[in-house]
Tab-separated table of all heavy atoms in Angstrom:
chain	number	residue	atom	x	y	z
A	93	GLU	N	-17.013	-2.604	13.733
A	93	GLU	CA	-17.351	-1.974	15.035
A	93	GLU	C	-16.485	-0.769	15.468
A	93	GLU	O	-16.905	0.141	16.184
A	93	GLU	CB	-17.320	-3.088	16.158
A	93	GLU	CG	-18.532	-3.906	16.180
A	93	GLU	CD	-18.202	-5.318	16.440
A	93	GLU	OE1	-17.258	-5.617	17.155
A	93	GLU	OE2	-18.852	-6.252	15.795
A	94	THR	N	-15.251	-0.799	14.999
A	94	THR	CA	-14.361	0.340	15.368
A	94	THR	C	-13.736	0.899	14.105
A	94	THR	O	-13.427	0.149	13.187
A	94	THR	CB	-13.212	-0.064	16.263
A	94	THR	OG1	-12.593	-1.196	15.630
A	94	THR	CG2	-13.671	-0.502	17.669
A	95	HIS	N	-13.452	2.129	14.168
A	95	HIS	CA	-12.778	2.766	13.011
A	95	HIS	C	-11.283	2.410	13.109
A	95	HIS	O	-10.603	2.652	14.043
A	95	HIS	CB	-12.891	4.314	13.110
A	95	HIS	CG	-12.371	4.964	11.848
A	95	HIS	ND1	-13.045	4.839	10.637
A	95	HIS	CD2	-11.263	5.673	11.628
A	95	HIS	CE1	-12.281	5.438	9.706
A	95	HIS	NE2	-11.289	5.944	10.297
A	96	PRO	N	-10.854	1.612	12.088
A	96	PRO	CA	-9.405	1.166	12.186
A	96	PRO	C	-8.427	2.353	12.203
A	96	PRO	O	-8.602	3.383	11.523
A	96	PRO	CB	-9.218	0.349	10.865
A	96	PRO	CG	-10.531	0.212	10.278
A	96	PRO	CD	-11.509	1.245	10.801
A	97	ASP	N	-7.362	2.098	12.988
A	97	ASP	CA	-6.300	3.043	13.149
A	97	ASP	C	-5.272	2.755	12.027
A	97	ASP	O	-4.500	1.915	12.156
A	97	ASP	CB	-5.711	2.938	14.558
A	97	ASP	CG	-4.518	3.897	14.689
A	97	ASP	OD1	-4.494	4.860	14.039
A	97	ASP	OD2	-3.722	3.585	15.633
A	98	CYS	N	-5.333	3.540	10.937
A	98	CYS	CA	-4.371	3.248	9.847
A	98	CYS	C	-4.112	4.544	9.017
A	98	CYS	O	-4.891	5.438	8.953
A	98	CYS	CB	-4.943	2.161	8.922
A	98	CYS	SG	-6.641	2.480	8.312
A	99	GLY	N	-2.898	4.551	8.466
A	99	GLY	CA	-2.531	5.600	7.545
A	99	GLY	C	-2.930	5.121	6.166
A	99	GLY	O	-2.659	3.967	5.768
A	100	VAL	N	-3.631	5.926	5.338
A	100	VAL	CA	-4.136	5.420	4.061
A	100	VAL	C	-3.635	6.300	2.893
A	100	VAL	O	-3.558	7.500	3.006
A	100	VAL	CB	-5.639	5.237	3.963
A	100	VAL	CG1	-6.164	4.247	4.970
A	100	VAL	CG2	-6.332	6.584	4.200
A	101	VAL	N	-3.366	5.700	1.784
A	101	VAL	CA	-3.133	6.398	0.507
A	101	VAL	C	-3.978	5.740	-0.495
A	101	VAL	O	-3.688	4.578	-0.881
A	101	VAL	CB	-1.647	6.448	0.075
A	101	VAL	CG1	-1.461	7.234	-1.183
A	101	VAL	CG2	-0.709	6.873	1.186
A	102	PHE	N	-5.030	6.414	-0.983
A	102	PHE	CA	-5.854	5.830	-1.992
A	102	PHE	C	-5.681	6.573	-3.365
A	102	PHE	O	-5.023	7.673	-3.392
A	102	PHE	CB	-7.319	5.832	-1.582
A	102	PHE	CG	-7.554	4.752	-0.511
A	102	PHE	CD1	-7.846	5.070	0.782
A	102	PHE	CD2	-7.486	3.397	-0.875
A	102	PHE	CE1	-8.003	4.146	1.771
A	102	PHE	CE2	-7.664	2.429	0.107
A	102	PHE	CZ	-7.904	2.761	1.414
A	103	GLN	N	-6.227	6.016	-4.394
A	103	GLN	CA	-5.949	6.521	-5.710
A	103	GLN	C	-6.385	7.975	-5.915
A	103	GLN	O	-5.940	8.745	-6.811
A	103	GLN	CB	-6.571	5.590	-6.798
A	103	GLN	CG	-5.809	4.355	-6.921
A	103	GLN	CD	-6.475	3.326	-7.792
A	103	GLN	OE1	-7.356	3.668	-8.505
A	103	GLN	NE2	-6.048	2.114	-7.759
A	104	ASP	N	-7.425	8.448	-5.207
A	104	ASP	CA	-7.958	9.770	-5.393
A	104	ASP	C	-7.224	10.805	-4.542
A	104	ASP	O	-7.621	11.983	-4.430
A	104	ASP	CB	-9.423	9.788	-5.116
A	104	ASP	CG	-9.798	9.347	-3.758
A	104	ASP	OD1	-8.796	9.082	-2.906
A	104	ASP	OD2	-10.995	9.282	-3.351
A	105	TYR	N	-6.130	10.388	-3.868
A	105	TYR	CA	-5.276	11.302	-3.051
A	105	TYR	C	-5.976	11.755	-1.813
A	105	TYR	O	-5.422	11.931	-0.747
A	105	TYR	CB	-4.775	12.486	-3.823
A	105	TYR	CG	-4.344	12.240	-5.227
A	105	TYR	CD1	-4.807	12.881	-6.248
A	105	TYR	CD2	-3.383	11.193	-5.501
A	105	TYR	CE1	-4.376	12.666	-7.571
A	105	TYR	CE2	-2.976	10.891	-6.733
A	105	TYR	CZ	-3.468	11.616	-7.812
A	105	TYR	OH	-3.084	11.336	-9.111
A	106	SER	N	-7.263	12.120	-1.934
A	106	SER	CA	-8.144	12.598	-0.817
A	106	SER	C	-7.460	13.660	0.125
A	106	SER	O	-7.526	13.487	1.362
A	106	SER	CB	-8.679	11.355	-0.033
A	106	SER	OG	-7.631	10.511	0.357
A	107	LEU	N	-6.861	14.632	-0.465
A	107	LEU	CA	-6.329	15.728	0.321
A	107	LEU	C	-7.506	16.747	0.493
A	107	LEU	O	-8.349	16.790	-0.415
A	107	LEU	CB	-5.182	16.436	-0.440
A	107	LEU	CG	-3.966	15.596	-0.679
A	107	LEU	CD1	-3.029	16.290	-1.663
A	107	LEU	CD2	-3.197	15.276	0.629
A	108	PHE	N	-7.508	17.501	1.537
A	108	PHE	CA	-8.498	18.521	1.682
A	108	PHE	C	-8.074	19.715	0.771
A	108	PHE	O	-7.033	20.268	0.940
A	108	PHE	CB	-8.571	18.991	3.118
A	108	PHE	CG	-9.145	17.953	4.069
A	108	PHE	CD1	-8.301	17.395	5.027
A	108	PHE	CD2	-10.470	17.478	3.893
A	108	PHE	CE1	-8.853	16.404	5.872
A	108	PHE	CE2	-10.967	16.504	4.729
A	108	PHE	CZ	-10.143	16.002	5.757
A	109	PRO	N	-8.925	20.051	-0.243
A	109	PRO	CA	-8.542	21.000	-1.193
A	109	PRO	C	-8.458	22.426	-0.582
A	109	PRO	O	-7.712	23.272	-1.253
A	109	PRO	CB	-9.698	20.989	-2.235
A	109	PRO	CG	-10.869	20.310	-1.534
A	109	PRO	CD	-10.333	19.502	-0.442
A	110	TRP	N	-9.075	22.729	0.496
A	110	TRP	CA	-8.984	24.088	1.047
A	110	TRP	C	-7.735	24.236	1.947
A	110	TRP	O	-7.549	25.318	2.467
A	110	TRP	CB	-10.288	24.431	1.813
A	110	TRP	CG	-10.564	23.469	2.943
A	110	TRP	CD1	-10.154	23.592	4.172
A	110	TRP	CD2	-11.337	22.278	2.901
A	110	TRP	NE1	-10.570	22.482	4.944
A	110	TRP	CE2	-11.346	21.759	4.201
A	110	TRP	CE3	-12.049	21.637	1.820
A	110	TRP	CZ2	-12.047	20.524	4.481
A	110	TRP	CZ3	-12.695	20.424	2.161
A	110	TRP	CH2	-12.742	19.901	3.441
A	111	LEU	N	-6.960	23.175	2.126
A	111	LEU	CA	-5.750	23.296	2.929
A	111	LEU	C	-4.503	23.137	2.087
A	111	LEU	O	-4.521	22.409	1.153
A	111	LEU	CB	-5.716	22.160	3.997
A	111	LEU	CG	-6.852	22.180	5.088
A	111	LEU	CD1	-6.747	20.979	5.941
A	111	LEU	CD2	-6.836	23.499	5.884
A	112	THR	N	-3.423	23.816	2.458
A	112	THR	CA	-2.134	23.656	1.780
A	112	THR	C	-1.633	22.251	2.033
A	112	THR	O	-2.052	21.502	2.982
A	112	THR	CB	-1.090	24.663	2.336
A	112	THR	OG1	-0.881	24.347	3.681
A	112	THR	CG2	-1.484	26.125	2.101
A	113	ALA	N	-0.587	21.881	1.289
A	113	ALA	CA	-0.008	20.523	1.523
A	113	ALA	C	0.505	20.473	2.940
A	113	ALA	O	0.243	19.465	3.677
A	113	ALA	CB	1.282	20.396	0.617
A	114	GLN	N	1.126	21.542	3.470
A	114	GLN	CA	1.637	21.494	4.839
A	114	GLN	C	0.432	21.352	5.831
A	114	GLN	O	0.542	20.560	6.788
A	114	GLN	CB	2.364	22.799	5.127
A	114	GLN	CG	3.062	22.821	6.428
A	114	GLN	CD	3.899	24.130	6.582
A	114	GLN	OE1	3.554	25.098	6.054
A	114	GLN	NE2	5.002	24.021	7.344
A	115	ALA	N	-0.593	22.032	5.612
A	115	ALA	CA	-1.753	22.027	6.576
A	115	ALA	C	-2.435	20.645	6.533
A	115	ALA	O	-2.909	20.114	7.576
A	115	ALA	CB	-2.773	23.128	6.221
A	116	ASN	N	-2.440	20.011	5.319
A	116	ASN	CA	-2.977	18.652	5.194
A	116	ASN	C	-2.178	17.735	6.105
A	116	ASN	O	-2.734	16.845	6.862
A	116	ASN	CB	-2.980	18.173	3.743
A	116	ASN	CG	-4.307	18.404	2.999
A	116	ASN	OD1	-5.250	17.749	3.279
A	116	ASN	ND2	-4.318	19.467	2.213
A	117	VAL	N	-0.857	17.833	6.011
A	117	VAL	CA	-0.031	16.947	6.806
A	117	VAL	C	-0.133	17.249	8.365
A	117	VAL	O	-0.192	16.376	9.153
A	117	VAL	CB	1.439	16.972	6.355
A	117	VAL	CG1	2.375	16.080	7.233
A	117	VAL	CG2	1.599	16.582	4.867
A	118	MET	N	-0.212	18.559	8.624
A	118	MET	CA	-0.309	18.952	10.063
A	118	MET	C	-1.601	18.372	10.679
A	118	MET	O	-1.535	17.981	11.795
A	118	MET	CB	-0.417	20.489	10.165
A	118	MET	CG	0.963	21.169	9.969
A	118	MET	SD	0.827	22.968	9.773
A	118	MET	CE	0.342	23.457	11.393
A	119	LEU	N	-2.639	18.325	9.864
A	119	LEU	CA	-3.911	17.776	10.358
A	119	LEU	C	-3.771	16.306	10.787
A	119	LEU	O	-4.272	15.863	11.843
A	119	LEU	CB	-4.985	17.875	9.301
A	119	LEU	CG	-6.424	17.905	9.717
A	119	LEU	CD1	-6.717	19.114	10.641
A	119	LEU	CD2	-7.302	17.995	8.526
A	120	ALA	N	-3.022	15.603	9.953
A	120	ALA	CA	-2.757	14.144	10.260
A	120	ALA	C	-1.956	14.038	11.509
A	120	ALA	O	-2.160	13.216	12.466
A	120	ALA	CB	-2.161	13.431	9.085
A	121	LEU	N	-0.874	14.878	11.555
A	121	LEU	CA	0.038	14.820	12.733
A	121	LEU	C	-0.699	15.152	14.059
A	121	LEU	O	-0.402	14.478	15.053
A	121	LEU	CB	1.134	15.912	12.534
A	121	LEU	CG	2.357	15.505	11.707
A	121	LEU	CD1	3.154	16.754	11.391
A	121	LEU	CD2	3.231	14.533	12.433
A	122	LYS	N	-1.631	16.050	13.893
A	122	LYS	CA	-2.355	16.445	15.137
A	122	LYS	C	-3.228	15.432	15.725
A	122	LYS	O	-3.467	15.383	16.904
A	122	LYS	CB	-3.238	17.728	14.712
A	122	LYS	CG	-3.390	18.619	15.860
A	122	LYS	CD	-4.094	19.938	15.480
A	122	LYS	CE	-4.493	20.605	16.842
A	122	LYS	NZ	-5.284	21.700	16.587
A	123	GLN	N	-3.690	14.465	14.847
A	123	GLN	CA	-4.577	13.429	15.364
A	123	GLN	C	-3.894	12.619	16.484
A	123	GLN	O	-4.536	12.197	17.409
A	123	GLN	CB	-4.843	12.318	14.264
A	123	GLN	CG	-5.544	12.963	13.043
A	123	GLN	CD	-6.899	13.457	13.360
A	123	GLN	OE1	-7.727	12.803	14.033
A	123	GLN	NE2	-7.210	14.604	12.838
A	124	ARG	N	-2.571	12.481	16.382
A	124	ARG	CA	-1.850	11.648	17.330
A	124	ARG	C	-0.993	12.516	18.287
A	124	ARG	O	-0.375	11.991	19.192
A	124	ARG	CB	-0.936	10.631	16.631
A	124	ARG	CG	-1.742	9.638	15.839
A	124	ARG	CD	-0.837	8.618	15.385
A	124	ARG	NE	-1.668	7.362	15.335
A	124	ARG	CZ	-1.288	6.217	15.902
A	124	ARG	NH1	-0.126	6.100	16.513
A	124	ARG	NH2	-2.033	5.194	15.746
A	125	ASN	N	-0.914	13.796	17.975
A	125	ASN	CA	-0.067	14.639	18.833
A	125	ASN	C	-0.869	15.910	19.169
A	125	ASN	O	-0.543	17.016	18.780
A	125	ASN	CB	1.220	15.084	18.079
A	125	ASN	CG	1.988	13.847	17.547
A	125	ASN	OD1	2.714	13.321	18.319
A	125	ASN	ND2	1.777	13.577	16.311
A	126	LYS	N	-1.941	15.609	19.898
A	126	LYS	CA	-2.942	16.667	20.133
A	126	LYS	C	-2.429	17.922	20.852
A	126	LYS	O	-2.880	19.043	20.587
A	126	LYS	CB	-4.113	16.126	20.929
A	126	LYS	CG	-4.927	15.056	20.187
A	126	LYS	CD	-6.383	15.097	20.468
A	126	LYS	CE	-7.188	14.146	19.604
A	126	LYS	NZ	-6.746	13.270	18.594
Side-chain angles (χ1 to χ4, degrees):
E93 282 139 35
T94 51
H95 187 70
D97 177 21
C98 52
V100 296
V101 183
F102 287 109
Q103 286 172 15
D104 58 4
Y105 319 125
S106 53
L107 297 168
F108 293 115
W110 59 88
L111 296 178
T112 62
Q114 188 176 29
N116 265 286
V117 178
M118 283 169 72
L119 203 62
L121 276 168
K122 209 171 168 191
Q123 302 296 315
R124 294 190 149 231
N125 304 280
K126 295 215 172 1

